[in-house]
Amino acid sequence: MPARTHQKAKLARYFRKNMTQGEARVWAALRILDAPRFRRQAPVGPYILDFYAPRWKLCVEIDGPLHDVERDLTRDAWLLARGVTTLRYADEELDIEAIVRDVLARA
């Protein structure tokens, strides 16, 4: 495994073990859905996605207060060029039911 890939895998593992409260709430809701199946803190290309359903090419991102909007736009464009739709929500105002509805509407 190349060093860069190994570093990204270690970082993703760290993020999985240290999710924010908002991410933990969203993960609990996504895990019980019948469809689609999500991976959390998933390495995809040069990025680590909060939640990713590869079969549906759907990414759910939970943005904390320190998010870099410019970087997010670059990442979203990179993902979209590969057919991946990103749903983005602010951590401080999470509506779990709305997130589940949005996910199911795209599944």
Side-chain angles (χ1 to χ4, degrees):
M1 181 182 301
R4 187 177 179 136
T5 303
H6 181 67
Q7 277 184 312
K8 193 183 321 172
K10 282 180 69 171
L11 187 58
R13 199 170 14 255
Y14 172 82
F15 287 152
R16 279 192 294 274
K17 291 180 181 180
N18 297 284
M19 288 192 298
T20 66
Q21 279 187 335
E23 288 172 339
R25 290 176 50 220
V26 171
W27 178 239
L30 294 176
R31 288 181 66 193
I32 62 174
L33 293 179
D34 286 334
R37 183 176 172 143
F38 280 86
R39 294 176 10 210
R40 62 187 168 130
Q41 304 302 336
V44 175
Y47 302 105
I48 298 175
L49 309 182
D50 288 345
F51 305 102
Y52 180 56
R55 185 171 172 196
W56 282 268
K57 290 194 167 197
L58 181 61
C59 167
V60 177
E61 286 292 312
I62 308 303
D63 296 340
L66 301 178
H67 256 270
D68 180 346
V69 175
E70 186 92 10
R71 187 173 191 283
D72 289 344
L73 290 172
T74 301
R75 173 166 60 180
D76 291 351
W78 187 91
L79 291 168
L80 190 57
R82 285 146 185 86
V84 178
T85 301
T86 301
L87 303 177
R88 192 171 288 287
Y89 303 92
D91 191 29
E92 60 272 356
E93 53 190 57
L94 286 178
D95 179 346
I96 303 299
E97 291 178 14
I99 294 171
V100 169
R101 276 194 307 271
D102 290 348
V103 165
L104 291 175
R106 285 162 176 82

